[in-house]
């Protein structure tokens, strides 16, 4: 029996002429059931959509009457990528999904290349999804009003986890997650994504 919570996501795939892989459906269901996890799947198989869609579907589920109206939601999802070069492509793909399904979310990139004007605008009105690097995440944590920034957070996705395992940047991310969890009134979900991780 088809999970009714997935309807909008499945409709998007139909419009594109795509069919979701079983692992994507499983990830959507697990995320919506409040689970955290590690998603390991080959490059180009749709890992981003496996974890981006349930974040959107969860918000829609919690705001059935108002999800199509612009709101000052604060950051709902942080997407950490160690590869800065991928950030803009991620942002475009994620924003396009929001536009197609009619969800007025903003997806923004914040890293070492972000100019001062954009940083100030994000501070005044944070995007619902923030794509960032391990280093910039620590900069955000060091700001004096950082606790307010993370209060609305419902999930963190760490992309390319194999790039971070066993090195200083990985430790940085783990420490950031532990600290953010300690100050967050809502326990947020944690997901890691990898194409080439061992046992």
């Amino acid at each position: 029996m088809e999970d009714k919570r997935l309807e909008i996501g499945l409709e998007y795939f139909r419009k594109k002429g795509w069919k979701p892989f079983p692992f994507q459906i499983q990830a959507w269901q697990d995320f919506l059931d409040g689970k955290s996890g590690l998603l390991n799947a080959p490059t180009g198989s749709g890992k981003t959509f496996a974890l981006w869609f349930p974040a959107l579907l969860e918000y829609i589920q919690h705001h059935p009457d108002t999800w199509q109206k612009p709101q000052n939601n604060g950051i709902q999802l942080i997407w950490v990528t160690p590869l800065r070069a991928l950030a803009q492509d991620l942002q475009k793909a994620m924003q396009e999904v929001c536009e197609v399904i009619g969800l007025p979310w903003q997806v923004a990139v914040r890293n070492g290349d972000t100019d001062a004007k954009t940083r100030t605008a994000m501070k005044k009105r944070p995007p619902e999804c923030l794509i960032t690097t391990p280093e910039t995440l620590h900069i955000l944590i060091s700001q004096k009003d950082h606790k307010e920034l993370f209060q609305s957070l419902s999930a963190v996705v760490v992309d390319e986890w194999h790039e971070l395992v066993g090195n200083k940047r990985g430790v940085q991310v783990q420490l950031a997650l532990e600290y953010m969890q300690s100050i967050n009134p809502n326990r947020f979900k944690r997901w890691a994504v990898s194409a080439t991780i061992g046992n």
Side-chain angles (χ1 to χ4, degrees):
M1 191 173 125
E2 203 171 87
D3 190 331
K4 289 284 181 200
R5 300 174 301 174
L6 312 184
E7 215 168 279
I8 289 172
L10 293 169
E11 179 59 27
Y12 174 88
F13 272 65
R14 281 193 287 270
K15 278 181 183 170
K16 291 281 186 180
W18 301 341
K19 188 178 178 187
F21 290 111
F23 85 84
Q24 291 175 313
I25 297 288
Q26 187 64 58
W28 295 4
Q29 289 169 328
D30 287 343
F31 188 107
L32 291 169
D33 288 341
K35 294 176 184 174
S36 294
L38 167 65
L39 175 60
N40 188 19
T43 300
S45 61
K47 294 186 298 300
T48 300
F49 282 0
L51 291 171
W52 177 227
F53 268 96
L56 305 180
L57 297 173
E58 182 176 67
Y59 177 81
I60 291 167
Q61 187 182 314
H62 290 160
H63 303 84
D65 301 320
T66 58
W67 68 269
Q68 289 178 295
K69 295 174 185 168
Q71 311 277 347
N72 197 355
N73 293 305
I75 297 175
Q76 302 290 305
L77 174 72
I78 292 178
W79 196 284
V80 181
T81 173
L83 307 176
R84 201 156 69 175
L86 296 180
Q88 296 300 332
D89 288 342
L90 268 172
Q91 189 270 338
K92 282 178 191 160
M94 290 169 152
Q95 192 69 66
E96 191 263 354
V97 172
C98 293
E99 286 162 10
V100 170
I101 68 173
L103 177 66
W105 270 23
Q106 283 302 309
V107 182
V109 175
R110 170 80 155 82
N111 57 32
D113 297 331
T114 308
D115 61 65
K117 185 181 174 186
T118 305
R119 291 200 304 267
T120 304
M122 279 188 206
K123 209 169 181 180
K124 284 182 184 168
R125 187 174 178 136
E128 281 83 1
C129 175
L130 181 69
I131 301 168
T132 192
T133 59
E135 293 78 14
T136 301
L137 185 57
H138 270 264
I139 290 170
L140 293 171
I141 286 172
S142 70
Q143 294 176 350
K144 63 178 182 180
D145 53 357
H146 68 273
K147 290 185 180 179
E148 289 171 37
L149 191 66
F150 302 125
Q151 269 185 355
S152 52
L153 194 61
S154 66
V156 175
V157 176
V158 183
D159 215 340
E160 308 291 342
W161 181 234
H162 55 276
E163 293 277 342
L164 297 168
V165 172
N167 62 40
K168 285 180 184 176
R169 298 178 86 205
V171 173
Q172 257 191 324
V173 171
Q174 290 173 66
L175 289 171
L177 288 174
E178 289 304 314
Y179 177 69
M180 287 156 63
Q181 190 85 76
S182 75
I183 62 169
N184 195 302
N186 321 301
R187 283 189 65 78
F188 58 81
K189 293 173 284 297
R190 309 180 194 200
W191 282 83
V193 182
S194 177
T196 55
I197 202 158
N199 185 346

